[in-house]
Amino acid sequence: MSVYEFSVKDQKGNQVSLENYRGKVLLIVNTATGCGHTPQYKGLEELYEKYKEQGLEILDFPCNQFFHQAPGSDEEINQFCSLRYNTQFPRFKKVEVIGDKAEPLFIYLSSQNEDHKYKRVKWNFTKFLVDREGNVIARFEPKDKPEKFEQEIVDALK
């Protein structure tokens, strides 16, 4: 199994197959606009601009499960990120990442790092690095700023 077997909804509710990203290095992130980690959008956008031509895609999944830190509509969240952080990477429909209504993609991602301390997503801005074959190769916790794991992205792009 790989991430390519999943479909997710874009901001307008249309199904998008992750097969569309085959051959790319993916950084899949659950985000929130009112979180202490929200300034990481700046670092994520910097990574995206620096490496998108080499095959990096950042997939942003807003999530309101942790202290309701992403309360707006999908459009409001997109406007906030675009205007405040000038984000250009794809943003998807708001999802749940834990519990009975969790997005299947995040259940899968969370299950892929057996040696990781947390089996489930702990908080906003948990990041999963996926190689060009669709395999989860690293997980970064909310406090891990984008500049901290840039080298892992560079290595995955090779």
Side-chain angles (χ1 to χ4, degrees), residues 38-157:
T38 301
Q40 287 186 28
Y41 270 121
K42 181 179 186 294
L44 291 170
E45 180 59 27
E46 288 170 358
L47 286 175
Y48 184 65
E49 289 177 19
K50 191 172 183 179
Y51 297 109
K52 68 182 176 185
E53 296 301 320
Q54 295 174 45
L56 175 66
E57 286 290 345
I58 297 175
L59 307 183
D60 178 357
F61 290 87
C63 177
N64 196 36
Q65 281 189 289
F66 304 104
F67 282 146
H68 306 289
Q69 294 180 337
S73 68
D74 291 314
E75 182 57 34
E76 289 168 333
I77 290 168
N78 189 51
Q79 286 179 354
F80 172 87
C81 295
S82 297
L83 295 173
R84 187 149 200 190
Y85 295 101
N86 195 32
T87 56
Q88 306 297 311
F89 46 82
R91 188 165 298 103
F92 295 86
K93 196 155 194 62
K94 194 186 301 186
V95 297
E96 291 190 12
V97 297
I98 59 173
D100 293 340
K101 296 180 183 176
E103 179 68 38
L105 172 63
F106 279 89
I107 294 170
Y108 171 75
L109 293 170
S110 296
S111 74
Q112 294 306 295
N113 200 346
E114 301 267 338
D115 62 338
H116 201 273
K117 181 178 177 182
Y118 303 103
K119 295 292 183 199
R120 67 182 188 104
V121 171
K122 182 180 170 187
W123 200 257
N124 302 313
F125 287 88
T126 299
K127 305 155 208 73
F128 297 90
L129 184 61
V130 177
D131 68 14
R132 293 180 188 272
E133 287 77 43
N135 304 304
V136 178
I137 56 172
R139 175 177 170 157
F140 308 104
E141 290 307 315
K143 66 179 182 337
D144 296 331
K145 295 181 180 173
E147 56 272 15
K148 178 181 177 187
F149 52 84
E150 182 173 1
Q151 188 58 51
E152 285 94 331
I153 290 172
V154 170
D155 291 345
L157 288 167

